[in-house]
């Protein structure tokens, strides 16, 4: 009975901290991986993350892959003359000694061809491919449709 209660408590409290996990790949720290809930599987999803390069060599995010979408891509929101567009980004620079955010209104992962609706509280893996550091799989937490990002201050 105690293990059942412990499992239930861990389930309740584990999901909100997925986006607050930190993953390390060489000199890169990857954290705050999150997505927004979608209205349905026929609408694209998004992927956001924060990447810190603690090294002395520049790197670049060159691709993403996930079983949650048939066609995941890197995009950048660009506003020209008051009109926003989201062209494909071949890569996202991760300069040495700096932090790059894939965030609303900037660089982001576009998840086209979702395999299922992304529901708040769900999670899915994303493989990040870097030009120099290689690949790392991160857990992505699905937040509410109106989320601005994870609240990691409360998770620690």
């Amino acid at each position: 009975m105690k293990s059942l209660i412990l499992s239930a408590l861990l389930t309740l409290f584990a999901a909100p901290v997925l986006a607050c996990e930190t993953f390390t790949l060489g000199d890169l720290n990857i954290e705050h991986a999150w997505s927004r809930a979608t209205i349905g599987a026929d609408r694209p999803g998004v992927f956001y993350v924060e990447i810190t390069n603690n090294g002395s060599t520049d790197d670049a995010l060159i691709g993403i892959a996930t079983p949650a979408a048939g066609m995941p891509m890197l995009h950048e929101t660009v506003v020209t003359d008051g009109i926003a567009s989201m062209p494909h980004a071949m890569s996202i620079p991760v300069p040495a000694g700096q932090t790059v955010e894939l965030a609303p209104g900037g660089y982001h992962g576009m998840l086209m061809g979702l395999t299922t609706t992304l529901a708040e509280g769900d999670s899915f893996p994303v493989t990040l491919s870097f030009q120099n550091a290689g690949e790392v799989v991160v857990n992505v937490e699905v937040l509410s449709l109106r989320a601005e990002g994870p609240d990691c201050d409360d998770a620690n």
Side-chain angles (χ1 to χ4, degrees), residues 13-23 31-34 121-124 138-143 150 152 155:
F13 293 106
V17 298
L18 279 178
C20 300
E21 285 183 287
T22 299
F23 301 86
E31 57 189 345
H32 306 141
W34 66 284
D122 286 351
S123 64
F124 59 92
V138 300
N139 298 316
V140 179
E141 179 182 359
V142 180
L143 304 179
C152 294

Side-chain angles (χ1 to χ4, degrees), residues 7-125:
S7 294
L9 287 173
L10 287 174
T11 301
L12 285 174
F13 293 106
V17 298
L18 279 178
C20 300
E21 285 183 287
T22 299
F23 301 86
T24 302
L25 177 65
D27 291 327
L28 303 179
N29 283 346
I30 299 103
E31 57 189 345
H32 306 141
W34 66 284
S35 182
R36 286 193 177 119
T38 58
I39 297 169
D42 57 336
R43 303 289 309 237
V46 294
F47 163 69
Y48 303 117
V49 69
E50 184 177 298
I51 305 163
T52 301
N53 185 343
N54 295 308
S56 57
T57 304
D58 293 346
D59 208 332
L61 178 62
I62 58 173
I64 58 173
T66 178
M71 200 166 60
M73 297 185 256
L74 297 173
H75 280 208
E76 179 181 17
T77 302
V78 177
V79 179
T80 306
D81 296 326
I83 299 172
S85 64
M86 289 183 271
H88 175 73
M90 293 301 291
S91 67
I92 298 173
V94 185
Q98 295 187 31
T99 297
V100 173
E101 288 187 59
L102 277 66
Y107 286 117
H108 58 278
M110 184 66 75
L111 307 177
M112 308 294 285
L114 290 176
T115 56
T116 187
T117 299
L118 301 179
E120 183 176 351
D122 286 351
S123 64
F124 59 92

